[in-house]
Amino acid sequence: MKKAEIAEFYRRLADRTPNPETELDYVNTYTLLVAVVLSAQATDAGVNRATRELFKTVTTPDAMVKLGEERLRDAIKTIGLFNTKAKNVIALSQALIEKHGGEVPASREMLETLPGVGRKTANVVMNCAFGEETFAVDTHVFRVSNRTGLAPGKTVVEVERKLDKATPPPYRRDAHHLLILHGRYVCKAQRPECWRCVVVDLCRYRPKTPPPGEKKNTKPRAPRVSRR
């Protein structure tokens, strides 16, 4: 996309969703970090169901360590990869206590040293908790960036760098939320809902998906010529 198209792209998404934010439920920066770690290869709704009771009593690294890995596994067993995630959450909680005084560090580099915390998770926490202009590239952001032509790239890091370079100042703080929500509810993986997309004319995706019940436009097949 050209510079003017990118600005218009974000303007329309922002008009549709004026105050975009994460759909993960959390009560403080620590529980946000835990929720994001748990959300890997899982839906936000699924994570919220699992943490609804957990976050009523466990809101600090110390409380999580006291809960223990076994009881944490039982609390999050409805989430994919819950065994590994429970192990990582206990380990990162111990690391926060031992190295950061029980506080979540406001540094992407420091966050990435914690067990189970990768670049995407660190970017989400930096954006949601500390207001940094970071671009967390999950499957939705990666798909929307490539499909629309906004920031095409073969890797998540390449897409992140292109988004960082292309996104204009008014939208940098909310960009990844706008793209995630667009990918989750409109620009879906299997069947993008182009007929109700606010940026359909700016998008490079072809062919556009028609409304339900309407067939895609196809070129008429040329009549077969007899060889006899």
Side-chain angles (χ1 to χ4, degrees):
M1 288 187 189
K2 296 179 180 179
K3 187 175 181 179
E5 291 177 313
I6 292 173
E8 178 63 11
F9 182 94
Y10 278 119
R11 186 193 67 76
R12 294 185 194 178
L13 293 184
D15 282 350
R16 185 189 62 191
T17 311
N19 299 297
E21 56 186 21
T22 180
E23 293 187 317
L24 288 170
D25 293 336
Y26 63 97
V27 297
N28 56 23
T29 303
Y30 170 70
T31 54
L32 169 65
L33 173 61
V34 172
V36 179
V37 169
L38 296 179
S39 70
Q41 299 182 48
T43 65
D44 287 2
V47 172
N48 291 340
R49 285 193 294 272
T51 60
R52 188 171 295 121
E53 291 300 316
L54 178 68
F55 289 165
K56 286 182 179 179
T57 55
V58 181
T59 60
T60 66
D62 185 62
M64 187 67 77
V65 171
K66 288 179 180 177
L67 179 70
E69 188 175 330
E70 183 177 350
R71 284 194 288 172
L72 177 58
R73 280 201 307 268
D74 187 60
I76 65 171
K77 62 186 177 182
T78 57
I79 303 174
L81 306 175
F82 67 92
N83 284 314
T84 299
K85 291 176 181 179
K87 182 178 181 179
N88 284 335
V89 168
I90 295 298
L92 74 83
S93 299
Q94 290 174 327
L96 289 175
I97 293 170
E98 295 169 4
K99 300 178 181 179
H100 303 284
E103 299 295 325
V104 177
S107 160
R108 181 166 60 189
E109 290 71 24
M110 294 302 296
L111 284 168
E112 288 188 73
T113 66
L114 298 172
V117 178
R119 187 176 183 87
K120 187 201 77 174
T121 296
N123 279 337
V124 172
V125 174
M126 291 301 296
N127 182 270
C128 297
F130 302 113
E132 295 294 324
E133 296 176 348
T134 53
F135 301 84
V137 181
D138 68 350
T139 55
H140 296 301
V141 175
F142 187 82
R143 179 176 66 255
V144 171
S145 297
N146 276 284
R147 180 183 278 171
T148 63
L150 173 67
K154 294 182 179 180
T155 68
V156 293
V157 173
E158 184 180 1
V159 170
E160 180 186 336
R161 288 173 178 166
K162 286 190 175 182
L163 285 173
D164 192 10
K165 182 179 180 180
T167 304
Y171 309 107
R172 294 178 62 80
R173 173 66 176 77
D174 293 330
H176 97 267
H177 290 305
L178 291 170
L179 297 175
I180 286 172
L181 295 174
H182 186 61
R184 183 173 292 161
Y185 297 111
V186 180
C187 196
K188 301 176 182 179
Q190 298 301 319
R191 185 180 170 83
E193 299 181 358
C194 303
W195 66 90
R196 67 182 190 89
C197 175
V198 296
V199 292
V200 64
D201 57 312
L202 302 173
C203 174
R204 302 298 192 259
Y205 178 70
R206 299 289 185 277
K208 304 300 186 187
T209 307
E214 181 179 315
K215 294 182 179 180
K216 291 182 179 180
N217 292 326
T218 56
K219 293 182 179 179
R221 183 179 296 177
R224 181 176 295 176
V225 178
S226 174
R227 298 295 181 184
R228 288 192 244 178

